[in-house]
Every structure is written in C-alpha cells, then in structure tokens.
Amino acid sequence: MTFTPRLMRSEQGSELLAITLGHPLLDDYLTFVRARARINTWMATAYDLKVFFSVVGKEPSEVTAADVFAFLREQRAPRRGDRVVRFEDGEAGLAARTIARRLSSVSGLFAYLAARGDAGVTANPVPHGLSSRRPGRRNRRGVPLIRTPRILPRVLNPADVDALLAALRTYRDRAMVQAMLLGGLRRCEVLGLRLADLKVGERRLFVAEGKGGRQRIVPVSARFFATLGGYLDEERPRTSSSDRLFVVLKGSRRGQPLSAAGLDEILAGARTRAGLERVTCHQLRHTCFTRLREAGMALEALQAQAGHASIESTRIYLHLANEWLADEYLRAARAIDAQAAIGEGPSQ
C-alpha cells in the first residue's frame, strides 16, 4: 500500500494552529512534537516527514532499513549536475546537515510509533550507525550514517557592524540587532522577550524562552538599553495590548507582536542598504561571542551567556577568536624558544 503525504497548515490570523500530512499516525506525531518543541522545529519536522514519505511511498509500518538507505541515496544525488558541488564540503547533493536533520526527524517518528505499540512498528528502521567492530578490537561507537562537516560560522568585522547599524531605520530595529550583537540572543529569544523580562536597573534580560526550554538571565551592554529607551519612549504604540517587547509599528498589524519573517525582512533591507553580501540573525550572535572571547571572557561565562547546554558548543569560539589563538601560540612559542636556548648553553 502506498502513501503520498500532503502537508496542510491550519492558521488563524498570524497564528499557526495545526500541521497535518494526511495520515493519522503522522498527524498524531506532529501533535506530539508541537507540545514539546518550538514552532520552527515543528514545521521542519513536518516538512522532513513529507519529503521522506514522498520518496519512500509506503505506509509507516512497511518502512524498512533498506528504504532508509534508498532515501539517503536519493538525498545525496546531484541536484544541479555531477560537476556542480559546494565549496564547503564538495558534495553535489543536499548538504550533510540537511540530510542528518531529516534522518533525525524520521528516526524520531519511528521511535514514537514503536513506543506506542499500536502502529505496527516494533523497531526503529533508522540505523543509529554502522558497526565498525573488527576482530581483536573493542570499538562499539560505530560509524555514523551521515558525517556532518564542522564548518566555522562567519562573523562580521567592525566596519560591517557599523554599516549595518547605520542602515537600520528605527530604534526598534537597532535594539533588536543589538540584542543579538551585544547580548548574543537568538532570533526566537529576541522576539520572545516580554516587557516584564526587562531588568533595566541591572542592565540584564530574562530569557524565558531559550532553546530547549532553558531559561537564563543575561547581561547586555548599556548601549542596547539606551537604544531600547528610544524605542519605548518614541515608537512603541501606546495602544498596543501585547506584552511582547517588540511589536509592529505601522500597518494593519500595528501593535501586534513582530514575527520572525518581519525581523528577517528588516535585516535583509538593512543588509542591502549597507551593501553587505550576507547577514543573518545567527551571524550576529556568532559575532557577539567571538568578540567577547577575543576580549578575554572565560569560556564557562560564554557558555552561560549563550545558553549552551554543553560547553562543547561554546568551544567553537576558541577557533573564531583569532587574536586569542595568536596570543596563546606566541606565548607558547616564546616558552619553547627559551627552553631551547637554555639547552644549547654557552658556546665553547
């Protein structure tokens, strides 16, 4: 029996109420995901499952590991010809991170169906990896199905930052960018801020909707709070009934919470006016932590500021902070040279 998914969205105004794929088991799983994940994760999971079942064309209970490997082959197939590859990883198909995310979404679905016990799924058909055990060796880690390259994120230089800030047209827009650039907030965290989350006297922000449901209180530069004051005093509609900090300033949605698409549009316009090739919200966040690390901020403090669950996620800024790395190398090199000079001793 074949199954062809149809992704349907149910909306009320700007609020997304439901996402369905036209199959009761998949729709139940999407409802489960919605209750425990952010809207972007929910939407990405729905799309990933749509892609998978469009390729496989089977009922969930009929999917096998062979189908999963066939899906991987299809995803790796060249999209724009065999000779067109990405500079980052040399691949012609979809990016490894995209394939890995889709595989994770599919694995999550089948883990859910197996746990239910009433879906005809007794085991997860998505392998966790390939066995790499050899005679005489104790290697149980296995080989991952997808190897994702570790690519250093791009950051803005000071001149680009100045150009971007100068291209922003309102206090609100500058405050949102500064929250990411000076405080390291994620886009969803900026848009999730409420008026009650401001701790102006302490120059801090309470992040109630952090990634993974983790809350934190972060200090932010006084420059941000000065810009924010201009927005609250001169721009934010007095008639707004929303408790969200950043709202729409004009048009039919005036006074309503600003959306992620709205923030992306603001940033894209400023990028064009500033003559910059590429600027994203996450790039602003990376720039913030790179500069803080270069200024000597301890890695543990950087982890707390960023809201990382693991310090391994924070270590990437050691590689981005070029001045720190250069200073550490020169210090070590001088010590090595000094030891070599002592070992040589006076010439006879």
Side-chain angles (χ1 to χ4, degrees):
M1 181 176 180
T2 61
F3 162 59
T4 303
R6 292 185 58 194
L7 197 153
M8 302 291 290
R9 297 159 56 111
S10 176
E11 300 177 342
Q12 184 175 15
S14 60
E15 183 181 1
L16 182 60
L17 300 179
I19 306 177
T20 60
L21 290 171
H23 191 289
L25 292 177
L26 270 61
D27 294 345
D28 284 350
Y29 178 63
L30 290 177
T31 301
F32 171 75
V33 171
R34 178 66 184 101
R36 62 191 298 270
R38 292 192 171 279
I39 187 170
N40 288 345
T41 302
W42 181 33
M43 294 171 62
T45 300
Y47 184 75
D48 292 342
L49 294 179
K50 176 184 182 298
V51 172
F52 177 79
F53 283 99
S54 294
V55 172
V56 173
K58 290 183 176 181
E59 286 284 323
S61 59
E62 299 173 354
V63 174
T64 65
D67 296 320
V68 175
F69 284 110
F71 174 72
L72 289 179
R73 287 195 301 272
E74 193 278 339
Q75 297 292 283
R76 289 190 175 116
R79 282 342 195 224
R80 298 182 180 180
D82 294 336
R83 297 186 178 182
V84 180
V85 298
R86 288 181 300 277
F87 285 114
E88 297 136 356
D89 53 15
E91 294 291 334
L94 290 177
R97 292 184 183 279
T98 300
I99 301 175
R101 189 203 70 206
R102 290 180 177 174
L103 206 61
S104 176
S105 296
V106 174
S107 180
L109 166 70
F110 282 103
Y112 166 82
L113 295 180
R116 280 183 47 151
D118 63 349
V121 175
T122 57
N124 194 331
V126 181
H128 290 296
L130 301 178
S131 174
S132 63
R133 295 189 64 182
R134 298 178 182 177
R137 294 190 179 185
R138 295 182 179 181
N139 186 357
R140 298 178 179 272
R141 296 183 61 185
V143 179
L145 294 185
I146 301 293
R147 290 189 181 276
T148 55
R150 188 174 181 84
I151 301 172
L152 292 179
R154 300 175 182 177
V155 300
L156 299 178
N157 61 48
D160 290 343
V161 169
D162 291 341
L164 179 66
L165 291 174
L168 295 165
R169 292 173 169 171
T170 65
Y171 284 117
R172 179 202 63 183
D173 299 348
R174 282 193 290 276
M176 290 190 296
V177 168
Q178 286 177 337
M180 294 179 277
L181 195 59
L182 301 176
L185 270 66
R186 301 177 177 90
R187 179 182 66 175
C188 62
E189 293 172 346
V190 172
L191 297 173
L193 288 173
R194 301 179 186 274
L195 292 169
D197 296 334
L198 299 178
K199 299 182 180 297
V200 180
E202 304 172 15
R203 296 292 189 267
R204 297 181 183 182
L205 293 174
F206 173 61
V207 180
E209 301 181 16
K211 186 175 182 179
R214 293 182 293 274
Q215 298 180 341
R216 68 188 190 280
I217 297 178
V218 296
V220 186
S221 169
R223 290 164 52 196
F224 162 76
F225 283 97
T227 305
L228 186 66
Y231 160 63
L232 294 175
D233 292 340
E234 302 180 23
E235 295 176 351
R236 193 177 194 276
R238 306 292 181 189
T239 56
S240 175
S241 59
S242 175
D243 64 345
R244 295 284 180 177
L245 177 57
F246 295 112
V247 299
V248 179
L249 300 182
K250 57 184 179 181
S252 60
R253 295 191 63 249
R254 186 174 187 268
Q256 297 182 33
L258 187 68
S259 65
L263 176 51
D264 288 343
E265 184 178 346
I266 290 167
L267 195 59
R271 175 190 60 78
T272 301
R273 291 190 296 274
L276 302 178
E277 182 178 349
R278 182 177 183 270
V279 177
T280 65
C281 292
H282 222 62
Q283 196 174 4
L284 298 176
R285 175 174 157 89
H286 287 314
T287 301
C288 170
F289 298 133
T290 301
R291 299 294 175 247
L292 290 175
R293 179 59 215 175
E294 287 177 339
M297 190 171 184
L299 204 60
E300 292 78 6
L302 210 61
Q303 178 190 5
Q305 182 83 20
H308 288 157
S310 170
I311 200 168
E312 292 304 316
S313 300
T314 318
R315 291 188 187 279
I316 192 170
Y317 298 108
L318 293 177
H319 301 282
L320 292 175
N322 295 326
E323 294 302 321
W324 171 84
L325 177 60
D327 290 344
E328 288 294 299
Y329 172 79
L330 291 175
R331 180 189 60 77
R334 284 194 295 267
I336 293 173
D337 291 342
Q339 292 174 356
I342 294 173
E344 291 174 358
S347 59
Q348 299 296 325

